[in-house]
Amino acid sequence: MVQDIPTQEGPVVNHTNGNCLYAHSGGVSAALNATAAGAIKAAQRSESIHDMLVPEYGLHGILNGEFYSTKDLDQAALDQMYCTPSSIFGTSRFKLPDPRVDQEPYIQILEVFKTYNIRSLLYHGGGDSQDTTNKFSQFFKMVDYPIQCIGLPKTIDNDLMVTDHCPGYGSTAKYIATSTLEAALDTKAMSRSSTKVFILEVMGRNAGWIAAASALARCDATSAPHLILVPERKKSADNILAGISLQLDKEGYCVIVVSEGFQLTDTISSDDSDTCSFGHKRLGGIGLELANLIQSSLKVKTRSANADYLQRAVGHCASAIDLDIAYHIGQRAVQCINDGLYDKMLIVKHLGYLPLKWKIETCPIDWVANHEKHLPDFFISDNGHDITPAFCEYALSLVQGEVKPMRKNSIPAYFSKHHLQKVQIEEHQL
């Protein structure tokens, strides 16, 4: 386990501010539970917090008053939680309305908060989730109910504004680079008589941070990936086919990594009716679309794969620095509660690379909510389908170190919900 942020030692002697609610929101990552472990450990030591309650399945659990108590989790359980990917408590995608327009769900939530004596909220998620944190804060101010609202950063997409990177991204970057390397070895070995072009589709709606991480797989100038296609740069089909043909002539095989949000300049816009609760179009399929284009145009065997959920819960390939920072985000969030802060989101600031030097700061939540950080121009090559050395220096610092979870029969033994206790209301009414 990493070293804790210094805090007051000894038993909790005074719980003046009731319970703290810590909730997961949106997609998962390898580092999500590491943040939870840090927050729970700090809350157990805090004089300001009676118990850190965690809802089952995020906002759905809040609406239904379904909470886990964490005050009795021991160090062994927290150590196992630290190495466990995904969200052991469950998460959800749920868009709350503007509290100035519709307060119905907020009234329900307010009654739950009063019932469980919740006086502070740590909401852990990405840009859409921080919009939810902001809405919570606005509503509680409107009804004059004292709640400290703090946002915690999380997204493998690495597209949150202000923070230099998002916990969870480093582990996903490491997995994508590793998978690209291994798939490239397979493709190269079979290229004389079988597949000559391999395409890996990765997540990234409007920002290409995950696809860019595949560049870390390279060991020299000729190594895969040979084309990296990101949403920040559209490309024509002819331009892509020309690049592939050139690579086939040189090396006999070609490996491509493409963000799910990448668009061809000569593709007709598709129907946007299939959207999620936040209004985002459901993506997926650009890898197969490109494979069909290449196979029909160049007459070479082409295969595609979609990393999909495999790139999110990558505990077996987690980055040690990623989990370390995530843990301290949790600890610092509780420190913010102890210090009386509100309407802030925690951010990571980089002070140096290789090894990464960092510190945790705060910014106003509304600087982050509903905003996206794209790959800057200096991280994208002039030809638009590659990544610069500056990006590799940035990303390489985030994938360092190995995480070794407990194992059973050589398979990771992750945290189980049998460690958790459901909350009894009478125990939390002070």
Side-chain angles (χ1 to χ4, degrees), residues 176-343:
I176 292 301
T178 303
S179 297
T180 301
L181 172 62
E182 293 171 347
L185 292 173
D186 186 309
T187 306
K188 183 177 182 180
M190 298 293 293
S191 61
R192 290 285 181 92
S193 59
S194 186
T195 301
K196 293 185 179 297
V197 180
F198 174 76
I199 303 167
L200 178 63
E201 179 181 333
V202 302
M203 289 182 175
R205 177 178 303 280
N206 299 313
W209 295 96
I210 296 177
S214 65
L216 300 181
R218 293 175 177 149
C219 60
D220 56 47
T222 65
S223 297
H226 306 111
L227 278 77
I228 301 174
L229 305 176
V230 296
E232 288 86 353
R233 296 289 187 275
K234 291 184 178 182
K235 304 285 287 183
S236 71
D238 287 344
N239 185 278
I240 291 174
L241 292 171
I244 295 170
S245 295
L246 183 63
Q247 176 60 28
L248 291 176
D249 290 342
K250 287 171 33 179
E251 301 292 334
Y253 78 108
C254 182
V255 173
I256 303 167
V257 178
V258 58
S259 299
E260 62 184 353
F262 169 77
Q263 295 181 35
L264 291 166
T265 57
D266 36 12
T267 296
I268 299 174
S269 298
S270 60
D271 182 16
D272 291 343
S273 59
D274 185 15
T275 59
C276 71
S277 61
F278 286 90
H280 302 310
K281 179 184 174 184
R282 299 187 194 280
L283 298 177
I286 183 62
L288 183 59
E289 181 182 344
L290 288 174
N292 291 334
L293 170 68
I294 295 163
Q295 191 150 307
S296 63
S297 300
L298 301 182
K299 310 302 180 185
V300 295
K301 185 175 181 180
T302 304
R303 299 292 296 269
S304 70
N306 192 331
D308 206 1
Y309 280 10
L310 298 177
Q311 65 204 290
R312 298 204 306 197
V314 290
H316 69 286
C317 198
S319 154
I321 188 67
D322 189 24
L323 267 62
D324 184 16
I325 293 173
Y327 182 88
H328 284 90
I329 286 281
Q331 291 225 311
R332 185 58 58 85
V334 171
Q335 192 174 81
C336 288
I337 297 298
N338 294 338
D339 293 343
L341 299 182
Y342 58 91
D343 296 351

Side-chain angles (χ1 to χ4, degrees), residues 103-152:
Q103 293 192 355
E104 182 176 353
Y106 297 96
I107 297 299
Q108 182 180 344
I109 291 170
L110 176 60
E111 291 307 310
V112 171
F113 274 40
K114 289 180 177 178
T115 298
Y116 289 89
N117 195 30
I118 295 169
R119 295 294 175 176
S120 53
L121 170 66
L122 303 180
Y123 208 67
H124 194 179
D128 290 330
S129 299
Q130 297 315 321
D131 173 63
T132 301
T133 311
N134 203 28
K135 287 175 177 175
F136 271 131
S137 179
Q138 291 173 5
F139 170 75
F140 289 130
K141 288 176 182 176
M142 291 166 66
V143 296
D144 198 27
Y145 185 74
I147 286 282
Q148 290 175 258
C149 294
I150 302 293
L152 284 66

